[in-house]
Amino acid sequence: HRDQWMSTMDTYVLPRIGATGGLVRNSDEVSFGGSDFQRVILPLNDWNLRLTVQQPVFAGLREQRAYQQAKEGVRSAELGVRATEDRILLRTAADYIQVVGGDALVKVEEQAIALARDRLREARHFFEAGETTGVDVLRAESAAKAAERRLALARRDRGTALGQLRVDLNLDGDFEVGEPALSLPARPDEALLLQQAVETRAEVRQAKSTLRIAELEVSKQKGAYLPTVTADAGYVWQKTSFPTDQYGYAALRFVVPIWQSGEISSRVAFARERERQARLALEEQLRTVQEDVRRALLDLETATTSLALSEDQLRSAEAEYQQVADLYRSQEVTSLDIQSSETNLNDARRALVASRLPPPVS
């Protein structure tokens, strides 16, 4: 779009230089005058060459509108670059946290395997001592295999997240990641966040630039109703010697549109429709940005609550497991009770990891 606007502006502002010529073979040659003064008005072999320079002087302010459109186009392109950079940074940060979460989930599954193997060892001891049946041993073996399968899946997910991070950073090989220490400032109120989003979001500013370009297009098309003034100059070489075989000229010409069969009005109407569409797009973008802020605040509040509840759930699950494990060693509860307690503890650990991860970035 910027190249198109700059080309249009050049048409209105910059001079145009052209050369025309021709070669004609006539059936007769006509001249007048005597032997001492003779002028050819129709040569047998006629030729002419014309070099012209045309400089627009006034074109209904369309050149100014095109220049302003070009500047808005450049500004909109810069905002598009900024929006792309913001999305890349946000996606890279989210992918980094996904890798950190993958490491944490791998540790959780390793802990789950340790619990399952401890229960399997105790179940075998009780079975050998005749305290339990072989069902408890088989149940413990099944839980250990299931834990190993979840560990393999967790390592796969961590590798996938690491691969995406390598794509983001344009790196090869494996590398260590550490959980970042977040120190966030106090959250501003909703009204201030909405105002900042409207003023700084690149999407909104791009929509405003698009609306401004559409408004300038309406003004530019209206400029076609105004007269067009150009300054012309040229030099002519020709075979015909009457009145002279070479001469130069300069002229100031103007064109006043009186009736264009509705062509100008249709272009103005089309530009106004584009302006209306741009205005509606800006209003929609403003509503979208405002809802993004409100949804982000709601997600933040939900994530904070979920994280606190996950930490409480983990503490309760750890306390429950310690009590049930002691009771299981003294054979006061069954293997189903210890298995249920293990499941609750592992689920609590996974829920804590999930609560610390950010949502996916589209």
Side-chain angles (χ1 to χ4, degrees):
H1 291 307
R2 181 184 67 176
D3 295 340
Q4 180 181 0
W5 294 322
M6 294 301 293
S7 177
T8 303
M9 184 181 66
D10 293 345
T11 303
Y12 295 138
V13 176
L14 298 181
R16 283 172 283 184
I17 301 176
T20 59
L23 179 63
V24 179
R25 172 72 175 183
N26 297 312
S27 61
D28 296 305
E29 182 172 302
V30 179
S31 62
F32 68 90
S35 58
D36 57 343
F37 179 80
Q38 189 176 28
R39 289 290 183 268
V40 179
I41 60 175
L42 183 62
L44 182 63
N45 296 314
D46 191 10
W47 60 267
N48 65 82
L49 179 62
R50 183 184 299 265
L51 181 63
T52 60
V53 178
Q54 186 180 66
Q55 172 62 57
V57 178
F58 179 77
L61 299 179
R62 283 175 286 179
E63 71 283 354
Q64 182 180 1
R65 304 292 184 261
Y67 176 68
Q68 293 172 344
Q69 283 182 320
K71 291 198 301 183
E72 286 293 336
V74 172
R75 186 178 298 112
S76 179
E78 292 174 348
L79 292 173
V81 173
R82 176 185 172 184
T84 302
E85 291 175 348
D86 291 343
R87 286 193 294 269
I88 291 175
L89 291 174
L90 181 59
R91 187 180 69 241
T92 302
D95 292 339
Y96 184 89
I97 298 300
Q98 290 292 333
V99 177
V100 174
D103 289 336
L105 191 58
V106 167
K107 293 179 181 179
V108 168
E109 300 304 338
E110 289 175 348
Q111 292 173 341
I113 290 179
L115 294 178
R117 289 175 177 173
D118 289 342
R119 181 159 61 91
L120 175 60
R121 184 177 61 256
E122 293 177 351
R124 286 173 176 171
H125 291 167
F126 288 141
F127 175 72
E128 292 173 357
E131 298 292 334
T132 59
T133 63
V135 175
D136 293 341
V137 177
L138 294 175
R139 186 180 291 121
E141 290 178 349
S142 176
K145 296 300 181 181
E148 292 176 359
R149 180 180 60 85
R150 285 192 296 267
L151 176 60
L153 294 176
R155 287 174 175 170
R156 182 205 62 184
D157 294 340
R158 193 264 183 190
T160 301
L162 183 62
Q164 183 58 49
L165 183 60
R166 280 197 295 263
V167 172
D168 297 336
L169 300 177
N170 193 22
L171 296 175
D172 294 326
D174 198 359
F175 48 88
E176 296 294 331
V177 296
E179 183 173 355
L182 298 180
S183 179
L184 300 178
R187 190 189 73 183
D189 58 2
E190 181 177 341
L192 180 58
L193 290 175
L194 290 173
Q195 180 183 357
Q196 291 178 346
V198 170
E199 293 176 353
T200 60
R201 282 283 290 268
E203 297 89 338
V204 176
R205 297 176 66 182
Q206 277 187 304
K208 290 180 179 179
S209 293
T210 302
L211 176 59
R212 178 57 179 163
I213 291 171
E215 293 173 347
L216 291 171
E217 183 65 23
V218 174
S219 301
K220 186 175 71 175
Q221 295 301 332
K222 287 182 178 180
Y225 287 115
L226 300 177
T228 301
V229 181
T230 58
D232 297 344
Y235 201 84
V236 180
W237 294 269
Q238 60 184 5
K239 175 66 175 178
T240 304
S241 59
F242 181 82
T244 179
D245 59 352
Q246 52 182 307
Y247 63 93
Y249 67 90
L252 187 65
R253 310 180 193 276
F254 66 92
V255 178
V256 180
I258 298 177
W259 171 248
Q260 302 294 326
S261 300
E263 179 183 357
I264 298 178
S265 60
S266 63
R267 290 203 301 262
V268 172
F270 181 76
R272 284 177 174 169
E273 178 62 22
R274 296 292 298 270
E275 178 188 1
R276 187 183 71 86
Q277 294 177 3
R279 194 178 304 278
L280 293 176
L282 175 59
E283 294 175 357
E284 181 180 2
Q285 191 63 57
L286 288 173
R287 289 193 296 268
T288 301
V289 167
Q290 291 173 352
E291 291 304 320
D292 286 344
V293 173
R294 295 189 179 98
R295 184 168 55 251
L297 290 175
L298 181 60
D299 290 342
L300 177 59
E301 182 179 355
T302 303
T304 303
T305 303
S306 177
L307 180 59
L309 293 176
S310 298
E311 292 173 347
D312 294 340
Q313 178 185 0
L314 178 59
R315 286 192 292 268
S316 299
E318 288 175 344
E320 176 196 359
Y321 176 78
Q322 291 298 330
Q323 295 181 9
V324 173
D326 293 339
L327 294 175
Y328 179 70
R329 294 187 186 96
S330 60
Q331 286 294 291
E332 296 183 16
V333 295
T334 65
S335 61
L336 293 177
D337 295 324
I338 187 64
Q339 181 179 4
S340 175
S341 180
E342 285 181 9
T343 302
N344 292 336
L345 178 58
N346 294 328
D347 289 343
R349 288 170 174 171
R350 298 187 190 102
L352 180 60
V353 173
S355 299
R356 298 174 65 87
L357 293 178
V361 179
S362 60

